[in-house]
Amino acid sequence: MKQFNNYPNCERKENLKFESKVVHGANGVDPITGAISYPIYQTATFKHHGLEKTDPYNYSRCINPTREELERTMCILEEGERAFAVNSGMAAVSLIMSLLKPQEHIIYSDDVYGGTYRAVNEVLQPLGIDNDSIDLTDLELLKKTIRPNTKMIFIETPTNPMMKVADIEAIAKIGHEHGALVVVDNTFLTPYYQKPLTLGADIVIHSGTKYLGGHNDVIAGIVVVKDEEIGNKLEIQMYINGAGLGPMDSWLLLRGIKTLALRMDKHSDNALKVATFLRNHPKVEKVYYVGFPDHPNYDTTKKQTTGFGGMVSFRVDSIETVNKLLSKVKLVTFAESLGGVESLITHPVSRTHTEIKEEIREALGITDTLLRLSVGIEAPEDIIADLAQSLE
Ligand SMILES: Cc1ncc(COP(=O)(O)O)c(C=O)c1O
């Protein structure tokens, strides 16, 4: 079995800035051929070198060089020790949830991606793993909710779609005092803007489908950990569930990551402009955007992140306005997902958050007049002009 941290050819490139790390990855250039674009090792299996020899690669469900390059790259970017690339963000969520056992308890952000909510309630709960879904921006509430058997705190920050920002460092401290693992879904900000492991979290996960891939052309997930024991448990689980990301998809993610810094800056600049436009529009009642100084968790954002990202949620004045906007947008596309170069808009109640019970959604503010916009990297004037004409 591959040993923990067994990344012998992987320099951590600590002397480089993030923008250089994303371009050059772990090995970067293929050590065998010198290929600048890391090769896609499209093979199911590998030749053994002899009965007494230990082979670096054996079978692609367990280990594949292209996936390994991606995993090493994510270790460097998230400043972790071990990474796993899997075939969706939900596979990443499922992988880390496999660390929980019956009779244990998980606390998770009250407004999470619907699929995560479903995994907790439809997979963990029937196994006898209890849960509490709470507002993790309220640390006193967290302290009251934590139990002796709480083994995991799952933070999504900013949350999807209400854009609440939880204090990772403070939650990690509370979680660790009680023996709980702290997991952060870092999909919205990516390690370019937020590094949960350096703030005290134990595990970072991503829907790689979003900003890491960046082009709406691949479904992928990432898990990064810093602890040897957890890494070993996840590795065995990965061998068993067979969720490892295929070589072609691993390569697509590696290619997307090369421009992550550039794209995130553009998404972020555009989002501020679009959020400001929306805030001043008479048909928009409220804008949820972490970059506004009057956002309730702005201080936490400033403390733990270096940028605001490209996500903006907003509430319009009526369901008629929702209907009109979604049918009139031309440049912005009515579609699920986020984090790609194209601007996408969705209606959480009817699309991404259908699994969440109505009364819970209503209490969180996820109502039928709420829209979630993933601001792309097009010219901001064009995005704003399209929203303006569709809101007319
Ligand atoms: C924050 C967040 N986490 C996880 C996921 C699940 O990712 P995937 O769709 O790649 O399985 C999503 C999907 O939208 C998401 O938005």
Side-chain angles (χ1 to χ4, degrees):
M1 181 166 303
K2 192 156 61 81
Q3 292 302 302
F4 173 73
N5 206 9
N6 180 23
Y7 290 158
N9 306 319
C10 169
E11 281 179 53
R12 296 195 70 91
K13 304 194 162 133
E14 260 133 30
N15 55 327
L16 297 182
K17 299 253 184 285
F18 192 93
E19 294 88 326
S20 311
K21 289 179 182 175
V22 286
V23 171
H24 291 280
N27 275 310
V29 174
D30 175 31
I32 301 169
T33 63
I36 300 293
S37 167
Y38 206 81
I40 303 165
Y41 284 91
Q42 192 68 49
T43 182
T45 193
F46 300 82
K47 180 183 168 180
H48 292 308
H49 291 92
L51 196 55
E52 304 301 327
K53 300 234 168 84
T54 310
D55 301 301
Y57 301 101
N58 46 24
Y59 188 56
S60 278
R61 169 160 50 77
C62 303
I63 183 167
N64 174 280
T66 317
R67 184 163 79 228
E68 196 178 36
E69 172 68 4
L70 170 62
E71 291 170 340
R72 291 170 172 181
T73 299
M74 285 309 299
C75 270
I76 292 171
L77 301 183
E78 286 286 8
E79 300 190 24
E81 292 297 325
R82 191 74 188 276
F84 302 91
V86 289
N87 47 34
S88 69
M90 283 315 298
V93 170
S94 306
L95 184 61
I96 62 99
M97 286 184 176
S98 72
L99 293 168
L100 292 168
K101 295 196 284 296
Q103 318 302 330
E104 293 183 342
H105 175 240
I106 176 173
I107 297 175
Y108 66 109
S109 310
D110 55 4
D111 108 73
V112 278
Y113 170 61
T116 305
Y117 174 90
R118 181 186 272 160
V120 170
N121 288 284
E122 293 189 22
V123 179
L124 297 188
Q125 189 66 55
L127 290 174
I129 299 162
D130 276 350
N131 68 80
D132 274 299
S133 139
I134 63 166
D135 179 353
L136 281 175
T137 65
D138 183 344
L139 297 176
E140 291 311 310
L141 180 61
L142 172 63
K143 286 182 197 159
K144 278 188 222 141
T145 312
I146 207 157
R147 305 182 196 164
N149 65 338
T150 304
K151 292 294 171 209
M152 188 176 282
I153 303 175
F154 186 103
I155 313 170
E156 199 176 277
T157 183
T159 55
N160 178 3
M162 300 308 292
M163 310 299 289
K164 289 194 284 194
V165 178
D167 185 332
I168 298 171
E169 200 169 11
I171 295 173
K173 195 160 170 288
I174 298 168
H176 293 159
E177 279 164 10
H178 292 81
L181 287 175
V182 174
V183 180
V184 175
D185 184 332
N186 203 22
T187 298
F188 273 27
L189 290 181
T190 82
Y192 183 53
Y193 285 146
Q194 173 170 277
K195 293 192 184 65
L197 298 181
T198 67
L199 294 165
D202 303 286
I203 303 178
V204 171
I205 66 146
H206 283 272
S207 167
T209 315
K210 318 298 188 213
Y211 290 102
L212 295 179
H215 294 77
N216 287 319
D217 55 10
V218 60
I219 300 282
I222 297 285
V223 177
V224 189
V225 303
K226 55 185 185 191
D227 177 79
E228 173 172 1
E229 208 183 314
I230 300 171
N232 287 339
K233 282 186 186 161
L234 293 179
E235 178 176 45
I236 292 166
Q237 187 61 35
M238 268 255 304
Y239 288 176
I240 294 167
N241 69 21
L245 191 64
M248 179 68 202
D249 288 350
S250 297
W251 182 85
L252 279 169
L253 224 60
L254 278 169
R255 189 176 65 164
I257 286 170
K258 284 178 193 284
T259 55
L260 181 67
L262 273 179
R263 285 186 286 106
M264 289 310 286
D265 279 342
K266 181 68 174 161
H267 283 295
S268 204
D269 285 354
N270 280 1
L272 173 60
K273 291 183 178 131
V274 171
T276 306
F277 157 78
L278 289 168
R279 190 176 223 188
N280 293 316
H281 197 284
K283 289 193 179 157
V284 176
E285 288 184 345
K286 191 166 167 62
V287 178
Y288 303 85
Y289 170 61
V290 296
F292 285 145
D294 58 359
H295 182 284
N297 315 123
Y298 187 71
D299 289 346
T300 311
T301 293
K302 289 302 270 186
K303 188 175 78 160
Q304 70 187 14
T305 76
T306 52
F308 303 125
M311 297 304 298
V312 181
S313 294
F314 60 104
R315 187 178 307 291
V316 292
D317 57 0
S318 66
I319 187 69
E320 289 71 35
T321 303
V322 169
N323 268 320
K324 201 152 70 153
L325 187 148
L326 294 178
S327 59
K328 285 179 75 181
V329 277
K330 291 190 190 114
L331 179 91
V332 178
T333 307
F334 176 27
E336 287 178 39
S337 206
L338 59 105
V341 290
E342 300 89 359
S343 291
L344 301 182
I345 192 162
T346 193
H347 185 232
V349 163
S350 66
R351 294 298 187 278
T352 51
H353 287 67
T354 48
E355 319 49 18
I356 300 180
K357 286 192 196 115
E358 196 180 338
E359 65 270 22
I360 300 176
R361 276 199 320 243
E362 293 280 328
L364 291 171
I366 309 173
T367 62
D368 61 1
T369 53
L370 186 80
L371 292 157
R372 188 195 72 191
L373 177 63
S374 169
V375 181
I377 66 164
E378 302 95 338
E381 299 81 358
D382 291 337
I383 304 170
I384 290 171
D386 192 33
L387 291 170
Q389 68 77 24
S390 60
L391 278 165
E392 258 165 31

